[in-house]
């Protein structure tokens, strides 16, 4: 497995692969890889001839007073995991390699889509996500790119950007990976102390409750959301950012449950903001 730190190195390698007629998969990450990321890499390796994993903590998607500086990093560990999973290239650039000092160009969706859910409290987040992913697409030129369904709004936003910008890239969503007790895998789980880690289970319990209500025939999204909200509020360490049902494609709020509705949440456990969700399958 090779490690590239410059855009030119990546382009030269991918050019050689493409010349040989090989397909290329891209797994964009911010590092501190866990089993969720591993599932993306495994899927890419199984579906593409060559796999590129980017490890880059992207500053443009962090707002003021967010956790850019404290975001967990361990590149040696990440690199070893990528190699063990048969990734072919890890792209690990410095910020200066990705963004010129006077960079002034961004990719942004101007509909209400990125203003919903996480966008309400993180107004610049999806502009930063779209910009860095667009740059990675331009650098790697992948045939397929793999994203986790835990970041459901991000996945929807990326799909819209790819459609609107006419990227010839297949976007592959991969299922949420959970701990044995149900907590969704996240790099931010490392912020939790023992008491907070136990309290964080209120998110997956709320997801389970919502799924059961839908399976039992509930079609009023407000009832589902209220029940999930009440369950989370029983946990003293939890502070709700949002619990909401939205259309799974447009991210617009809905009062009705139908196929592919997304029921998503963001909850602070102590100072740590965690997300979880489920999509309706009828």
């Amino acid at each position: 497995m090779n490690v590239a730190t410059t855009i030119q190195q990546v382009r030269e390698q991918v050019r050689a692969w493409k010349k040989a007629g090989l397909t290329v998969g891209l797994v964009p990450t911010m590092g501190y890889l866990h089993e969720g990321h591993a599932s993306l890499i495994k899927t890419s390796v199984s579906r593409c001839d060559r796999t590129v994993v980017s490890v880059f903590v992207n500053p443009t998607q962090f707002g003021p007073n967010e956790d850019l500086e404290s975001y967990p990093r361990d590149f040696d560990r990440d690199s070893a995991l990528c190699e063990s999973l048969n990734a072919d290239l890890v792209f690990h650039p410095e910020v200066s390699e990705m963004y010129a000092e006077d960079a002034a160009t961004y990719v942004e969706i101007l509909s209400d889509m990125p203003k919903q859910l996480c966008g309400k409290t993180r107004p610049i987040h999806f502009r930063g996500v779209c910009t860095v992913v667009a740059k990675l697409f331009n650098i790697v030129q992948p045939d397929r790119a793999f994203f986790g369904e835990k970041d459901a709004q991000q996945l929807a936003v990326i799909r819209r950007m790819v459609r609107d910008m006419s990227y010839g890239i297949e976007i592959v969503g991969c299922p949420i990976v959970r701990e044995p007790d149900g907590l969704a895998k996240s790099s931010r789980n490392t912020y939790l102390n023992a008491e907070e880690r136990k309290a964080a289970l209120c998110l997956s319990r709320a997801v389970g409750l919502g799924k059961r209500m839908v399976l039992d025939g509930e079609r009023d999204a407000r009832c589902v959301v209220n029940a999930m909200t009440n369950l989370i509020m029983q946990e003293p360490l939890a502070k709700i950012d949002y619990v909401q049902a939205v259309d799974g494609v447009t991210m617009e709020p809905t009062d009705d449950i139908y196929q592919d509705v997304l029921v998503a949440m963001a909850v602070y456990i102590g100072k740590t903001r965690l997300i979880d969700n489920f999509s309706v399958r009828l």
Side-chain angles (χ1 to χ4, degrees), residues 36 110 136 170 236:
L110 296 179
L136 288 169
E170 179 186 354

Side-chain angles (χ1 to χ4, degrees), residues 58 60-61 98-99 105-110 113-114 124-138 147 153-162 164-165 167:
N58 174 42
T60 66
Q61 68 192 66
M98 291 294 285
Y99 295 104
T105 303
Y106 294 89
V107 178
E108 186 171 13
I109 294 175
L110 296 179
M113 184 182 206
I124 69 167
H125 177 69
F126 290 110
R127 183 183 74 172
V129 168
C130 285
T131 300
V132 76
V133 171
K135 289 174 72 69
L136 288 169
F137 286 173
N138 287 333
F147 295 86
Q153 186 176 14
Q154 172 180 275
L155 178 57
V157 165
I158 296 292
R159 290 190 194 280
R160 178 60 58 86
M161 180 187 76
V162 165
D164 291 355
M165 299 299 291
Y167 280 109

Side-chain angles (χ1 to χ4, degrees), residues 13-25 47-51 88 140-144:
Q13 178 62 86
V14 171
R15 193 178 300 121
W17 288 338
K18 297 273 188 175
K19 188 175 181 181
L22 302 174
T23 58
V24 178
R47 296 190 56 179
C48 304
D49 297 317
R50 296 292 184 268
T51 290
D88 299 283
V140 179
Q141 298 286 306
D143 298 283
R144 299 183 181 95

